[in-house]
């Protein structure tokens, strides 16, 4: 069987990106959560906030370590599998990825040590400052990464000469037409991810009646954040959709399963897109609603996929259903936030077992929503690597063979499976230990003092064997 290096390279990059994406989307939000807990501890002097912070810092240490390990090799694929793309965009991507390391990763690394190991060794104000700097570093990192990705979605500020892009306007290249919407959408997704994980873990502890006061307070704050941010995310998503319709109309056409340009397009709740036949099967929809949502006009015109050749259409089935998974989970988050508000009014948000069990299940939904969103973003851009300018095939390494691509794909799967297994093992130990173990006093001499994120998490779990 002949192996297609292009298909295997796309599968490999999709696997690595999806595996890696779940970690930074959590640590970005969790770093801000820890900064808030440290601020409350500093302002109020209430030890409860410090107990919560110590626990979630252990979780952050494990997830941050997994994110670094899974992400550090990701950029290597630009050179191994996508060398034509790497060469063509080197004048932009080279500096941007370097700036991400210098301005963000170095900032996080410098203050992460203080955050993990310096609580009893520096003044409380310095420890708070370290927490804020780590949170700031995560957002600076996301700025550079999303700026680079936004250029691939809505390229601007570059000109192509002799097979290489040259930057003619750094402001236009960094702040493309889609950047603001994408950055805000991702930032809110990060906050919602951390919020729902904190809510789910706190609910689990409350069911077990462990550290009731602290976990009830953590759950209360999480539910307020969920009630506020989930609807805001829907509004930002609407504006993002309008922007995408303007700059990437075929992506929107695939999201809506719209094959022909028409007015008053229905919002399809269910359909089975058939790309070969250029039609949908078993459609169930609400008349004119898609046009109203995307154009704010009941009779607004939506583009059809048949405006471009079949070779330039994205994989409609994947984009169509990934978009519905993302939106459906977002609606579910809004519903859970409203449910929590009603129970709060009744004084039962921390006592309803059905609600607490639902929150436990909801803790996985933001990761699924983020993955579905990235599938829509990246797959919906196909076949373009740089939208409208460079295809995936044009960006592929010319000398790459199918066997090479398959070998590295299998290698990534094996290595990342080991990383994930180790990370889950440590996370489960942290969760089983709870706030009690995270705050338990322990003795260690200079030789045993932890110096790495995973060992920081392990230090709080001594005796949990």
């Amino acid at each position: 069987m002949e192996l297609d290096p292009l298909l295997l390279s796309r599968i490999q990059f999709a696997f690595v990106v999806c595996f890696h994406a779940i970690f930074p989307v959590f640590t970005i939000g969790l770093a801000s959560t820890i900064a808030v807990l440290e601020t409350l501890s500093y302002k109020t002097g209430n030890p409860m906030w410090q107990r919560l912070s110590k626990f979630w810092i252990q979780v952050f240490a494990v997830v941050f370590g997994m994110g670094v390990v899974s992400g550090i090799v990701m950029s290597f694929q630009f050179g191994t599998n996508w060398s034509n793309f790497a060469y063509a965009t080197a004048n932009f991507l080279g500096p941007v990825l370097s700036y991400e390391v210098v301005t963000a990763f170095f900032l996080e690394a410098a203050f992460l040590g203080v955050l993990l190991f310096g609580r009893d060794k520096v003044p409380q104000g310095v420890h708070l400052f370290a927490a804020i700097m780590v949170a700031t570093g995560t957002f600076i990192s996301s700025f550079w990464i999303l700026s680079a990705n936004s250029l691939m979605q809505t390229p601007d500020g570059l000109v192509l000469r002799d097979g290489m892009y040259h930057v003619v306007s750094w402001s236009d290249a960094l702040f493309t037409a889609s950047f603001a919407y994408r950055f805000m959408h991702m930032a809110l997704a990060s906050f919602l991810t951390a919020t729902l994980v904190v809510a789910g873990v706190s609910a689990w502890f409350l069911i077990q009646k462990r550290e009731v006061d602290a976990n009830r307070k953590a759950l209360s704050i999480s539910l307020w954040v969920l009630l506020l941010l989930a609807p805001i995310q829907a509004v930002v998503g609407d504006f993002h959709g309008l922007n995408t319709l303007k700059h990437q109309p075929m992506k929107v056409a695939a999201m809506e399963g719209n094959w022909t340009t028409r007015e008053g397009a229905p919002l399809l709740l269910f359909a089975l897109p058939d790309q070969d036949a250029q039609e949908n099967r078993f459609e169930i929809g609400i008349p004119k609603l898609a046009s109203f949502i995307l154009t704010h006009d009941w009779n607004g015109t939506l583009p059809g996929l048949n405006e471009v050749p079949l070779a330039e259409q994205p994989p409609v089935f994947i984009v169509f259903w990934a978009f519905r998974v993302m939106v459906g989970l977002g609606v579910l988050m809004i519903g859970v936030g409203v449910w929590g508000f009603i129970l709060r009014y009744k004084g039962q948000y921390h006592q309803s077992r059905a609600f607490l069990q639902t929150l436990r299940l909801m803790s996985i939904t933001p990761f699924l929503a983020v993955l579905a969103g990235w599938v829509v973003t990246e797959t919906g851009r196909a076949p373009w690597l740089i939208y409208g300018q460079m295809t995936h095939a044009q960006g592929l390494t010319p000398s790459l063979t199918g066997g090479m691509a398959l070998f590295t794909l299998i290698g990534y799967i094996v290595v990342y499976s080991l990383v994930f297994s180790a990370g889950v093992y440590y996370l489960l130990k942290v969760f089983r230990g709870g706030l009690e173990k995270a705050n338990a006093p322990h003795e260690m001499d200079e030789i045993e003092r932890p110096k790495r994120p995973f060992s920081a998490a392990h230090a709080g779990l001594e005796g949990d064997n």
Side-chain angles (χ1 to χ4, degrees):
M1 182 179 64
E2 185 176 353
L3 299 174
D4 183 359
L6 176 58
L7 177 61
L8 290 171
S9 294
R10 292 186 63 190
I11 293 173
Q12 175 180 304
F13 202 85
F15 170 76
V16 173
V17 169
C18 287
F19 186 95
H20 173 68
I22 61 176
F23 302 122
V25 76
F26 181 36
T27 54
I28 290 170
L30 187 58
S32 296
T33 300
I34 292 170
V36 170
L37 293 173
E38 288 291 327
T39 301
L40 290 171
S41 174
Y42 183 79
K43 290 290 186 180
T44 66
N46 188 335
M48 176 187 65
W49 300 117
Q50 188 176 108
R51 293 177 66 81
L52 285 168
S53 180
K54 284 183 176 180
F55 171 75
W56 286 108
I57 285 175
Q58 285 192 355
V59 175
F60 179 86
V62 176
V63 180
F64 183 85
M66 295 172 71
V68 170
V69 172
S70 64
I72 199 168
V73 298
M74 190 168 60
S75 59
F76 295 157
Q77 293 177 94
F78 290 124
T80 58
N81 294 57
W82 307 97
S83 61
N84 281 350
F85 168 75
Y87 172 81
T89 59
N91 288 326
F92 176 77
L93 285 186
V96 166
L97 295 179
S98 298
Y99 297 155
E100 191 268 339
V101 172
V102 173
T103 63
F105 189 77
F106 283 4
L107 181 67
E108 294 175 66
F111 287 98
L112 182 62
V114 180
L115 180 66
L116 296 180
F117 312 125
R119 183 177 298 278
D120 300 322
K121 302 173 182 62
V122 299
Q124 188 177 7
V126 174
H127 195 262
L128 168 60
F129 181 73
I132 294 173
M133 287 298 99
V134 171
T136 302
T138 62
F139 274 99
I140 295 175
S141 178
S142 64
F143 166 82
W144 293 113
I145 298 302
L146 286 174
S147 180
N149 187 263
S150 295
L151 187 88
M152 298 165 67
Q153 306 286 340
T154 52
D156 197 7
L158 303 178
V159 295
L160 183 63
R161 293 197 302 265
D162 301 324
M164 177 175 285
Y165 286 94
H166 297 267
V167 181
V168 295
S169 172
W170 275 102
S171 60
D172 290 342
L174 290 173
F175 301 95
T176 65
S178 64
F179 171 75
Y181 303 98
R182 292 162 52 75
F183 183 80
M184 183 62 70
H185 201 48
M186 194 64 187
L188 289 171
S190 299
F191 288 138
L192 285 170
T193 300
T195 295
L196 282 166
V197 171
V198 172
V201 173
S202 299
W204 181 54
F205 287 146
L206 287 172
I207 291 173
Q208 297 179 324
K209 301 188 184 305
R210 297 170 59 184
E211 293 276 0
V212 173
D213 290 340
N215 285 300
R216 182 175 65 182
K217 184 61 70 174
L219 177 59
S220 176
I221 294 176
S222 298
L223 292 178
W224 281 122
V225 174
L226 177 63
L227 182 67
L228 175 66
L229 293 190
I232 293 177
Q233 179 72 305
V235 174
V236 171
D238 178 62
F239 283 108
H240 189 12
L242 297 177
N243 178 265
T244 304
L245 177 62
K246 180 178 179 180
H247 297 282
Q248 295 177 294
M250 290 304 102
K251 179 186 290 188
V252 172
M255 289 159 53
E256 298 300 331
N258 196 43
W259 299 98
T260 60
T261 301
R262 55 177 166 172
E263 298 178 351
L267 177 66
L268 299 180
L269 304 178
F270 180 90
L272 297 177
D274 186 339
Q275 197 143 9
D276 292 332
Q278 297 284 284
E279 64 180 17
N280 296 322
R281 304 188 186 279
F282 309 110
E283 284 188 358
I284 300 175
I286 303 174
K288 298 189 175 184
L289 188 56
S291 287
F292 179 75
I293 292 174
L294 286 164
T295 68
H296 297 174
D297 180 354
W298 291 104
N299 295 309
T301 301
L302 290 189
L305 287 156
N306 63 1
E307 291 185 5
V308 299
L310 179 62
E312 294 184 13
Q313 295 177 5
V316 179
F317 191 94
I318 297 174
V319 177
F320 179 87
W321 279 108
F323 179 68
R324 272 143 190 80
V325 169
M326 179 185 67
V327 173
L329 292 174
V331 172
L332 184 60
M333 292 175 196
I334 294 175
V336 171
V338 173
W339 186 12
F341 181 75
I342 294 172
L343 289 176
R344 183 190 297 275
Y345 182 77
K346 297 179 180 180
Q348 299 175 351
Y349 74 92
H350 59 286
Q351 297 174 329
S352 171
R353 189 174 184 86
F355 181 63
L356 295 178
Q357 292 286 15
T358 300
L359 288 176
R360 288 184 60 195
L361 297 175
M362 285 295 297
S363 61
I364 193 68
T365 58
F367 298 102
L368 299 177
V370 166
L371 291 178
W374 276 111
V375 169
V376 172
T377 296
E378 300 303 300
T379 307
R381 188 179 69 231
W384 301 107
L385 198 51
I386 301 177
Y387 193 79
Q389 299 185 15
M390 176 185 285
T391 65
H392 291 106
Q394 292 170 334
L396 193 69
T397 298
S399 61
L400 185 69
T401 65
M404 294 176 184
L406 180 61
F407 177 78
T408 54
L409 172 60
I410 294 173
Y412 277 120
I413 292 175
V414 172
V415 172
Y416 278 27
S417 296
L418 294 174
V419 171
F420 187 77
S421 299
V424 169
Y425 168 77
Y426 273 101
L427 278 178
L428 290 177
K429 290 191 69 173
V430 173
F431 289 144
R432 283 197 299 266
L435 273 68
E436 304 93 334
K437 189 65 66 175
N439 289 272
H442 55 274
E443 298 291 336
M444 63 172 63
D445 57 29
E446 185 63 30
I447 297 177
E448 296 172 322
R449 182 161 295 143
K451 299 177 178 65
R452 302 177 306 279
F454 273 23
S455 60
H458 185 70
L461 297 169
E462 288 187 336
D464 188 33
N465 292 309

